[in-house]
Amino acid sequence: MSHAFVRTRPLLVLAALLLAAAAAAQSPTPAPTARPRPCTSDEHRQFDFWIGVWDVKAADGRVLGRNVIEAIHGGCALKESWTGSGGFSGTSLNAWNAVAKGWHQTWVDGSGSLLLLDGGVRDGKMVLSGESPGNSGPVKNEISWERLDGGRIRQVWRVTRDGGKTWQTAFDGIYEKSKS
């Protein structure tokens, strides 16, 4: 290899880079392709009625707790932050699963409980269900949210330990928009 080429090689590289930059500056930049906004389908909006800051009471008016439900990630999910009147707390993440064509909830609370629920709108209510381990075998959980008059919501959580022969109510609360 000649010494002249070795000395001019950096100049050739620089010239090639300058020519490439000039060509790029002259070529038009393609317009960005407009992508449809995710999570805007009717199914993604089915649970939006739950969004808000809620005071939750028993049927007898006793305060059970406060629940804050917020849309997150551009409306692709709902985050629940529960604080019971006795200090018990829990959080859930809820999302429409377009592949499975249904809603999914993952709930975790301060006692270490984990619930994985799936479902959707049934008879005008949002109904999610799933099994969790129990001391004497699997427990089936079913939670429903029903709109009531005056912007209120009723949430009922039922459990069965015998495959659905008998059900017990684990929670029954009326949600009212918080005034504070």
Side-chain angles (χ1 to χ4, degrees):
M1 183 178 298
S2 82
H3 292 294
F5 178 74
V6 171
R7 281 183 287 174
T8 59
R9 186 172 178 196
L11 292 174
L12 291 173
V13 170
L14 179 61
L17 289 172
L18 289 172
L19 284 173
Q26 290 177 0
S27 64
T29 304
T33 306
R35 287 190 274 174
R37 199 178 137 111
C39 308
T40 58
S41 71
D42 290 343
E43 291 84 2
H44 283 95
R45 305 284 62 86
Q46 289 175 333
F47 215 176
D48 283 0
F49 69 90
W50 196 29
I51 295 171
V53 178
W54 302 92
D55 294 323
V56 184
K57 299 177 181 176
D60 64 8
R62 197 171 23 97
V63 175
L64 299 174
R66 183 180 191 88
N67 215 354
V68 178
I69 315 301
E70 59 186 311
I72 60 172
H73 304 304
C76 291
L78 298 180
K79 178 184 173 191
E80 172 187 18
S81 299
W82 167 259
T83 305
S85 57
F88 179 79
S89 64
T91 301
S92 75
L93 188 61
N94 305 266
W96 170 254
N97 182 338
V99 174
K101 303 232 181 286
W103 277 86
H104 175 79
Q105 180 183 93
T106 298
W107 163 269
V108 180
D109 63 39
S111 73
S113 292
L114 170 70
L115 280 177
L116 303 173
L117 307 171
D118 294 287
V121 177
R122 187 171 67 202
D123 298 325
K125 301 176 187 178
M126 177 63 73
V127 181
L128 304 178
S129 61
E131 282 193 358
S132 59
N135 293 334
S136 58
V139 176
K140 181 169 180 163
N141 301 275
E142 180 182 272
I143 304 177
S144 65
W145 293 260
E146 176 183 16
R147 293 184 223 200
L148 302 175
D149 294 336
R152 298 174 308 140
I153 296 171
R154 181 176 184 204
Q155 179 184 350
V156 177
W157 176 12
R158 300 181 324 142
V159 296
T160 181
R161 291 170 174 77
D162 59 12
K165 293 176 190 160
T166 59
W167 290 87
Q168 294 83 41
T169 300
F171 180 88
D172 189 346
I174 304 295
Y175 284 62
E176 297 176 353
K177 291 279 186 175
S178 179
K179 294 176 178 42
S180 58

Coordinates of all heavy atoms in Angstrom, one line a residue, residues 50-131:
W50 N -66.5 3.1 36.1 CA -65.9 2.9 37.4 C -64.9 4.0 37.8 O -64.5 4.2 38.9 CB -65.3 1.6 37.4 CG -64.9 1.0 38.8 CD1 -65.6 1.2 40.0 CD2 -63.9 0.1 39.0 NE1 -65.0 0.5 41.0 CE2 -63.9 -0.2 40.4 CE3 -62.9 -0.5 38.3 CZ2 -63.0 -1.1 41.0 CZ3 -62.0 -1.4 38.9 CH2 -62.1 -1.7 40.2
I51 N -64.5 4.8 36.8 CA -63.5 5.8 37.0 C -64.0 6.9 38.0 O -65.1 7.4 37.8 CB -63.0 6.5 35.7 CG1 -62.3 5.5 34.8 CG2 -62.1 7.7 35.9 CD1 -62.0 5.9 33.4
G52 N -63.2 7.3 38.9 CA -63.6 8.3 39.9 C -63.0 8.1 41.2 O -62.3 7.2 41.5
V53 N -63.3 9.0 42.1 CA -63.0 8.9 43.5 C -64.2 8.6 44.3 O -65.2 9.4 44.2 CB -62.3 10.2 44.1 CG1 -62.0 10.1 45.5 CG2 -61.1 10.6 43.2
W54 N -64.3 7.5 45.0 CA -65.5 6.9 45.5 C -65.4 6.7 47.0 O -64.4 6.3 47.5 CB -65.8 5.6 44.9 CG -65.9 5.6 43.4 CD1 -64.9 5.3 42.5 CD2 -67.1 5.8 42.6 NE1 -65.4 5.4 41.2 CE2 -66.7 5.7 41.3 CE3 -68.4 6.1 43.0 CZ2 -67.7 5.9 40.3 CZ3 -69.3 6.3 42.0 CH2 -69.0 6.2 40.6
D55 N -66.5 7.0 47.7 CA -66.7 6.6 49.1 C -67.5 5.4 49.0 O -68.6 5.4 48.3 CB -67.4 7.7 49.9 CG -66.6 8.9 50.1 OD1 -65.3 8.8 50.2 OD2 -67.1 10.0 50.1
V56 N -67.1 4.3 49.6 CA -67.8 3.0 49.5 C -68.4 2.7 50.9 O -67.8 2.7 51.9 CB -66.8 1.9 49.1 CG1 -67.6 0.6 48.9 CG2 -66.1 2.3 47.8
K57 N -69.7 2.4 50.8 CA -70.5 2.1 52.0 C -71.2 0.8 51.9 O -71.6 0.3 50.8 CB -71.5 3.2 52.2 CG -70.9 4.6 52.4 CD -71.9 5.7 52.5 CE -71.3 7.1 52.6 NZ -72.2 8.1 52.6
A58 N -71.5 0.2 53.1 CA -72.4 -0.9 53.2 C -73.8 -0.5 53.0 O -74.2 0.7 53.0 CB -72.2 -1.6 54.5
A59 N -74.7 -1.5 52.8 CA -76.1 -1.1 52.6 C -76.7 -0.4 53.8 O -77.6 0.4 53.6 CB -76.9 -2.4 52.4
D60 N -76.2 -0.6 55.0 CA -76.7 0.1 56.2 C -76.0 1.5 56.4 O -76.3 2.2 57.4 CB -76.4 -0.7 57.4 CG -75.0 -1.0 57.8 OD1 -74.1 -0.4 57.1 OD2 -74.7 -1.8 58.7
G61 N -75.2 1.9 55.4 CA -74.6 3.3 55.4 C -73.3 3.3 56.1 O -72.6 4.4 56.1
R62 N -72.8 2.2 56.7 CA -71.5 2.2 57.3 C -70.4 2.4 56.3 O -70.5 1.8 55.2 CB -71.3 0.8 58.0 CG -70.3 0.6 59.0 CD -70.5 -0.8 59.7 NE -71.2 -1.8 58.9 CZ -70.6 -2.7 58.1 NH1 -69.3 -2.8 58.1 NH2 -71.3 -3.6 57.5
V63 N -69.4 3.2 56.5 CA -68.3 3.5 55.6 C -67.4 2.3 55.6 O -66.8 1.9 56.6 CB -67.6 4.8 55.9 CG1 -66.4 5.0 55.0 CG2 -68.5 6.0 55.9
L64 N -67.2 1.7 54.4 CA -66.3 0.6 54.2 C -64.9 1.0 53.8 O -63.9 0.4 54.1 CB -66.8 -0.4 53.2 CG -68.2 -1.0 53.6 CD1 -68.7 -1.8 52.4 CD2 -68.1 -1.8 54.8
G65 N -64.8 2.1 53.0 CA -63.5 2.6 52.6 C -63.6 3.6 51.5 O -64.7 4.1 51.2
R66 N -62.5 3.8 50.8 CA -62.4 4.8 49.7 C -61.7 4.1 48.6 O -60.7 3.4 48.8 CB -61.6 6.0 50.2 CG -61.5 7.1 49.2 CD -60.7 8.3 49.8 NE -60.7 9.5 49.0 CZ -61.6 10.4 49.1 NH1 -62.6 10.3 50.0 NH2 -61.5 11.5 48.4
N67 N -62.2 4.3 47.4 CA -61.6 3.7 46.2 C -61.3 4.8 45.2 O -62.2 5.5 44.8 CB -62.5 2.6 45.7 CG -61.7 1.4 45.1 OD1 -60.5 1.5 45.0 ND2 -62.4 0.4 44.7
V68 N -60.1 4.8 44.7 CA -59.8 5.7 43.6 C -59.5 4.9 42.3 O -58.6 4.1 42.3 CB -58.5 6.6 44.0 CG1 -58.1 7.5 42.8 CG2 -58.8 7.4 45.3
I69 N -60.3 5.2 41.3 CA -60.1 4.5 40.0 C -59.7 5.5 39.0 O -60.4 6.5 38.8 CB -61.4 3.8 39.6 CG1 -62.1 3.1 40.7 CG2 -61.2 2.9 38.4 CD1 -61.3 2.0 41.4
E70 N -58.5 5.3 38.4 CA -58.0 6.2 37.4 C -57.6 5.5 36.1 O -57.1 4.4 36.1 CB -56.9 7.0 37.9 CG -55.7 6.2 38.4 CD -54.6 7.0 39.0 OE1 -54.2 8.0 38.5 OE2 -54.2 6.5 40.1
A71 N -57.9 6.2 35.0 CA -57.4 5.7 33.7 C -55.9 6.0 33.6 O -55.5 7.1 33.9 CB -58.2 6.4 32.5
I72 N -55.2 5.0 33.1 CA -53.7 5.2 33.0 C -53.3 4.7 31.6 O -54.1 4.1 30.9 CB -52.9 4.5 34.1 CG1 -53.2 3.0 34.1 CG2 -53.2 5.1 35.5 CD1 -52.2 2.2 35.0
H73 N -52.1 5.1 31.2 CA -51.5 4.7 29.9 C -52.4 5.1 28.8 O -52.7 4.2 27.9 CB -51.1 3.2 29.9 CG -50.2 2.8 31.0 ND1 -49.0 3.4 31.3 CD2 -50.4 1.9 32.0 CE1 -48.4 2.9 32.3 NE2 -49.2 2.0 32.8
G74 N -52.8 6.3 28.8 CA -53.7 6.8 27.7 C -55.0 6.1 27.6 O -55.6 6.0 26.5
G75 N -55.5 5.6 28.7 CA -56.8 5.0 28.7 C -56.8 3.5 28.3 O -57.8 2.9 28.2
C76 N -55.6 2.9 28.3 CA -55.4 1.5 28.0 C -55.6 0.6 29.3 O -55.7 -0.6 29.2 CB -54.0 1.2 27.4 SG -53.8 1.9 25.8
A77 N -55.6 1.2 30.5 CA -55.8 0.5 31.7 C -56.5 1.3 32.7 O -56.5 2.6 32.7 CB -54.5 -0.1 32.2
L78 N -57.1 0.7 33.7 CA -57.6 1.3 34.9 C -56.9 0.8 36.1 O -56.6 -0.4 36.3 CB -59.1 1.0 35.1 CG -60.1 1.4 34.0 CD1 -61.5 1.0 34.4 CD2 -60.0 2.9 33.7
K79 N -56.5 1.8 36.9 CA -55.8 1.5 38.2 C -56.7 1.7 39.4 O -57.2 2.8 39.5 CB -54.5 2.3 38.3 CG -53.7 2.0 39.6 CD -52.5 3.0 39.7 CE -51.9 2.8 41.1 NZ -50.9 3.9 41.3
E80 N -56.8 0.7 40.2 CA -57.7 0.9 41.4 C -56.8 1.0 42.6 O -55.8 0.2 42.8 CB -58.6 -0.4 41.5 CG -59.3 -0.4 42.9 CD -60.0 -1.8 43.1 OE1 -59.7 -2.8 42.4 OE2 -60.9 -1.8 44.0
S81 N -57.0 1.9 43.5 CA -56.3 2.1 44.7 C -57.3 2.1 45.9 O -58.0 3.1 46.1 CB -55.5 3.4 44.7 OG -54.6 3.4 43.7
W82 N -57.4 1.0 46.6 CA -58.4 0.8 47.7 C -57.8 1.0 49.0 O -56.7 0.5 49.3 CB -59.0 -0.6 47.6 CG -59.8 -1.0 48.8 CD1 -59.4 -1.8 49.9 CD2 -61.1 -0.6 49.1 NE1 -60.4 -1.9 50.8 CE2 -61.5 -1.2 50.4 CE3 -62.1 0.2 48.5 CZ2 -62.7 -1.0 51.0 CZ3 -63.3 0.4 49.1 CH2 -63.6 -0.2 50.3
T83 N -58.5 1.8 49.9 CA -58.1 1.9 51.3 C -59.4 1.7 52.1 O -60.3 2.4 52.0 CB -57.5 3.3 51.6 OG1 -56.4 3.6 50.7 CG2 -57.0 3.4 53.0
G84 N -59.4 0.6 52.9 CA -60.5 0.3 53.7 C -60.5 1.1 54.9 O -59.5 1.7 55.3
S85 N -61.7 1.3 55.6 CA -61.8 2.1 56.8 C -60.9 1.6 57.9 O -60.5 2.4 58.8 CB -63.2 2.2 57.2 OG -63.8 0.9 57.5
G86 N -60.5 0.4 57.9 CA -59.6 -0.2 58.9 C -58.2 -0.1 58.6 O -57.3 -0.7 59.3
G87 N -57.9 0.5 57.4 CA -56.5 0.6 57.0 C -56.0 -0.4 56.0 O -54.9 -0.3 55.4
F88 N -56.8 -1.4 55.7 CA -56.5 -2.5 54.7 C -56.4 -1.8 53.3 O -57.2 -0.9 53.0 CB -57.6 -3.5 54.7 CG -57.4 -4.6 53.7 CD1 -56.6 -5.7 54.0 CD2 -58.1 -4.6 52.5 CE1 -56.4 -6.7 53.0 CE2 -58.0 -5.6 51.6 CZ -57.1 -6.7 51.8
S89 N -55.4 -2.2 52.5 CA -55.3 -1.6 51.2 C -55.0 -2.6 50.2 O -54.5 -3.7 50.4 CB -54.1 -0.6 51.3 OG -52.9 -1.2 51.5
G90 N -55.3 -2.2 48.9 CA -55.1 -3.1 47.8 C -55.1 -2.3 46.5 O -55.6 -1.2 46.5
T91 N -54.6 -2.9 45.5 CA -54.5 -2.2 44.2 C -54.8 -3.2 43.1 O -54.4 -4.4 43.2 CB -53.0 -1.7 43.9 OG1 -52.7 -0.8 45.0 CG2 -52.9 -1.0 42.6
S92 N -55.5 -2.8 42.1 CA -55.7 -3.6 40.9 C -55.4 -2.9 39.6 O -55.4 -1.6 39.6 CB -57.2 -4.1 40.8 OG -58.1 -3.1 40.4
L93 N -55.0 -3.7 38.6 CA -54.8 -3.2 37.3 C -55.8 -3.9 36.4 O -55.9 -5.1 36.5 CB -53.4 -3.4 36.9 CG -52.9 -2.8 35.6 CD1 -53.0 -1.3 35.6 CD2 -51.5 -3.2 35.2
N94 N -56.5 -3.1 35.6 CA -57.6 -3.7 34.8 C -57.4 -3.3 33.4 O -57.2 -2.1 33.1 CB -59.0 -3.1 35.3 CG -59.2 -3.4 36.8 OD1 -59.8 -4.4 37.1 ND2 -58.7 -2.6 37.6
A95 N -57.6 -4.2 32.4 CA -57.4 -3.9 31.0 C -58.2 -4.8 30.1 O -58.4 -6.0 30.5 CB -55.9 -4.0 30.6
W96 N -58.6 -4.2 29.0 CA -59.3 -5.0 28.0 C -58.2 -5.8 27.2 O -57.2 -5.2 26.8 CB -60.0 -4.1 27.0 CG -60.5 -4.8 25.7 CD1 -60.0 -4.7 24.5 CD2 -61.6 -5.7 25.7 NE1 -60.7 -5.5 23.6 CE2 -61.7 -6.1 24.3 CE3 -62.5 -6.2 26.6 CZ2 -62.6 -7.0 23.9 CZ3 -63.5 -7.1 26.1 CH2 -63.6 -7.5 24.8
N97 N -58.3 -7.1 27.1 CA -57.4 -7.9 26.4 C -58.0 -8.2 25.0 O -58.9 -9.0 24.9 CB -57.2 -9.2 27.2 CG -56.2 -10.2 26.5 OD1 -55.9 -10.1 25.3 ND2 -55.6 -11.0 27.3
A98 N -57.5 -7.5 24.0 CA -58.1 -7.6 22.7 C -57.9 -9.0 22.1 O -58.8 -9.5 21.3 CB -57.5 -6.6 21.7
V99 N -56.8 -9.7 22.4 CA -56.6 -11.0 21.9 C -57.6 -12.0 22.5 O -58.2 -12.8 21.8 CB -55.1 -11.5 22.2 CG1 -54.9 -12.9 21.8 CG2 -54.1 -10.6 21.5
A100 N -57.8 -12.0 23.8 CA -58.7 -12.9 24.5 C -60.2 -12.4 24.4 O -61.1 -13.1 24.8 CB -58.3 -13.0 25.9
K101 N -60.4 -11.1 23.9 CA -61.7 -10.5 23.8 C -62.4 -10.5 25.2 O -63.6 -10.9 25.3 CB -62.5 -11.2 22.7 CG -61.9 -11.2 21.4 CD -62.7 -10.7 20.3 CE -62.1 -10.7 19.0 NZ -61.1 -9.7 18.7
G102 N -61.7 -10.0 26.2 CA -62.3 -9.9 27.5 C -61.5 -9.0 28.4 O -60.4 -8.6 28.0
W103 N -62.0 -8.8 29.6 CA -61.3 -7.9 30.6 C -60.5 -8.8 31.5 O -60.9 -9.9 31.8 CB -62.4 -7.1 31.4 CG -62.8 -5.9 30.6 CD1 -63.8 -5.8 29.7 CD2 -62.2 -4.6 30.7 NE1 -63.8 -4.5 29.2 CE2 -62.8 -3.7 29.8 CE3 -61.2 -4.1 31.5 CZ2 -62.5 -2.4 29.7 CZ3 -60.8 -2.8 31.4 CH2 -61.5 -1.9 30.5
H104 N -59.4 -8.2 32.0 CA -58.6 -8.9 32.9 C -58.3 -8.0 34.1 O -58.1 -6.8 33.9 CB -57.2 -9.4 32.3 CG -56.3 -9.9 33.3 ND1 -56.5 -11.2 33.8 CD2 -55.3 -9.4 34.0 CE1 -55.5 -11.5 34.7 NE2 -54.8 -10.4 34.9
Q105 N -58.3 -8.5 35.3 CA -57.9 -7.7 36.5 C -56.9 -8.5 37.3 O -57.0 -9.8 37.5 CB -59.1 -7.5 37.4 CG -58.7 -6.7 38.7 CD -59.9 -6.5 39.7 OE1 -60.1 -7.3 40.6 NE2 -60.7 -5.4 39.4
T106 N -55.8 -7.9 37.7 CA -54.9 -8.4 38.6 C -55.0 -7.6 39.9 O -54.8 -6.4 39.9 CB -53.4 -8.3 38.1 OG1 -53.4 -9.1 36.9 CG2 -52.4 -8.9 39.1
W107 N -55.3 -8.2 41.0 CA -55.5 -7.6 42.3 C -54.4 -8.1 43.3 O -54.1 -9.3 43.4 CB -56.8 -7.9 42.9 CG -57.0 -7.6 44.3 CD1 -56.8 -8.5 45.4 CD2 -57.4 -6.4 45.0 NE1 -57.0 -7.9 46.6 CE2 -57.4 -6.6 46.4 CE3 -57.8 -5.1 44.5 CZ2 -57.8 -5.6 47.3 CZ3 -58.1 -4.1 45.3 CH2 -58.1 -4.4 46.7
V108 N -53.8 -7.1 44.0 CA -52.8 -7.5 45.0 C -53.1 -6.6 46.2 O -53.4 -5.4 46.0 CB -51.3 -7.2 44.6 CG1 -50.3 -7.5 45.7 CG2 -51.0 -7.9 43.3
D109 N -53.1 -7.2 47.4 CA -53.4 -6.4 48.6 C -52.4 -6.5 49.7 O -51.4 -7.3 49.6 CB -54.8 -6.7 49.1 CG -55.0 -8.1 49.6 OD1 -54.1 -8.6 50.2 OD2 -56.1 -8.6 49.3
G110 N -52.6 -5.8 50.8 CA -51.6 -5.7 51.9 C -51.6 -7.0 52.7 O -50.7 -7.1 53.5
S111 N -52.4 -7.9 52.5 CA -52.4 -9.2 53.2 C -51.5 -10.2 52.3 O -51.3 -11.3 52.8 CB -53.7 -9.8 53.4 OG -54.3 -10.3 52.2
G112 N -51.1 -9.8 51.1 CA -50.4 -10.7 50.3 C -51.3 -11.5 49.3 O -50.8 -12.3 48.6
S113 N -52.6 -11.2 49.3 CA -53.5 -11.9 48.4 C -53.3 -11.5 47.0 O -53.0 -10.3 46.7 CB -54.9 -11.7 48.8 OG -55.2 -12.3 50.0
L114 N -53.5 -12.4 46.1 CA -53.4 -12.2 44.7 C -54.6 -12.8 44.0 O -54.9 -13.9 44.2 CB -52.1 -12.8 44.1 CG -52.0 -12.8 42.5 CD1 -51.8 -11.4 42.0 CD2 -50.9 -13.7 42.1
L115 N -55.3 -11.9 43.2 CA -56.5 -12.4 42.5 C -56.2 -12.1 41.0 O -55.8 -11.0 40.7 CB -57.8 -11.7 42.9 CG -58.5 -12.2 44.2 CD1 -59.7 -11.3 44.4 CD2 -58.9 -13.6 44.1
L116 N -56.5 -13.1 40.2 CA -56.4 -13.0 38.7 C -57.8 -13.3 38.2 O -58.3 -14.4 38.3 CB -55.4 -13.9 38.1 CG -54.0 -13.8 38.7 CD1 -53.1 -14.9 38.1 CD2 -53.4 -12.4 38.3
L117 N -58.5 -12.2 37.7 CA -59.9 -12.4 37.2 C -60.0 -12.0 35.8 O -59.3 -11.2 35.2 CB -60.8 -11.4 38.1 CG -60.6 -11.5 39.6 CD1 -61.4 -10.4 40.3 CD2 -61.1 -12.9 40.1
D118 N -61.0 -12.7 35.1 CA -61.3 -12.4 33.7 C -62.8 -12.4 33.5 O -63.5 -13.0 34.2 CB -60.6 -13.5 32.8 CG -59.1 -13.5 32.9 OD1 -58.5 -12.6 32.3 OD2 -58.5 -14.4 33.6
G119 N -63.2 -11.7 32.5 CA -64.6 -11.7 32.1 C -65.0 -10.5 31.3 O -64.2 -10.1 30.4
G120 N -66.2 -10.0 31.5 CA -66.7 -8.9 30.7 C -68.1 -8.5 31.0 O -68.6 -8.9 32.1
V121 N -68.7 -7.8 30.2 CA -70.1 -7.3 30.4 C -71.1 -8.5 30.2 O -71.0 -9.2 29.2 CB -70.4 -6.1 29.5 CG1 -71.9 -5.7 29.7 CG2 -69.5 -5.0 29.7
R122 N -71.9 -8.6 31.3 CA -72.9 -9.7 31.2 C -74.1 -9.2 31.9 O -74.1 -8.7 33.1 CB -72.3 -10.9 32.0 CG -73.2 -12.1 31.9 CD -72.6 -13.4 32.4 NE -72.4 -13.3 33.8 CZ -71.5 -14.0 34.5 NH1 -70.7 -14.8 33.9 NH2 -71.4 -13.8 35.8
D123 N -75.3 -9.2 31.2 CA -76.5 -8.7 31.7 C -76.4 -7.3 32.2 O -77.0 -6.9 33.3 CB -77.1 -9.6 32.8 CG -77.3 -11.0 32.3 OD1 -77.8 -11.2 31.1 OD2 -77.1 -12.0 33.1
G124 N -75.7 -6.4 31.5 CA -75.6 -5.0 31.9 C -74.6 -4.7 33.0 O -74.4 -3.6 33.5
K125 N -73.9 -5.8 33.5 CA -72.9 -5.6 34.6 C -71.5 -6.0 34.1 O -71.4 -6.9 33.2 CB -73.3 -6.5 35.8 CG -74.6 -6.3 36.4 CD -74.8 -7.4 37.5 CE -76.2 -7.4 38.1 NZ -76.4 -8.4 39.1
M126 N -70.5 -5.4 34.7 CA -69.2 -5.9 34.5 C -69.0 -7.1 35.5 O -69.2 -6.9 36.7 CB -68.1 -4.9 34.7 CG -66.7 -5.3 34.6 SD -66.3 -5.9 32.9 CE -66.2 -4.3 32.0
V127 N -68.6 -8.3 35.0 CA -68.5 -9.5 35.8 C -67.1 -10.1 35.5 O -66.9 -10.5 34.4 CB -69.6 -10.5 35.6 CG1 -69.5 -11.7 36.5 CG2 -71.0 -9.8 35.8
L128 N -66.3 -10.2 36.5 CA -65.0 -10.8 36.4 C -64.9 -12.0 37.4 O -65.4 -11.9 38.5 CB -63.9 -9.8 36.7 CG -63.9 -8.5 35.9 CD1 -62.7 -7.6 36.3 CD2 -63.8 -8.8 34.4
S129 N -64.3 -13.1 37.0 CA -64.2 -14.2 37.9 C -62.9 -14.9 37.7 O -62.2 -14.8 36.7 CB -65.3 -15.2 37.7 OG -65.3 -15.7 36.3
G130 N -62.5 -15.7 38.7 CA -61.3 -16.5 38.6 C -61.1 -17.3 39.9 O -61.8 -17.1 40.9
E131 N -60.2 -18.3 39.8 CA -60.0 -19.2 40.9 C -58.7 -18.7 41.7 O -57.8 -18.2 41.1 CB -59.8 -20.6 40.5 CG -61.1 -21.3 40.2 CD -61.0 -22.8 40.1 OE1 -59.9 -23.4 40.2 OE2 -62.1 -23.5 39.9

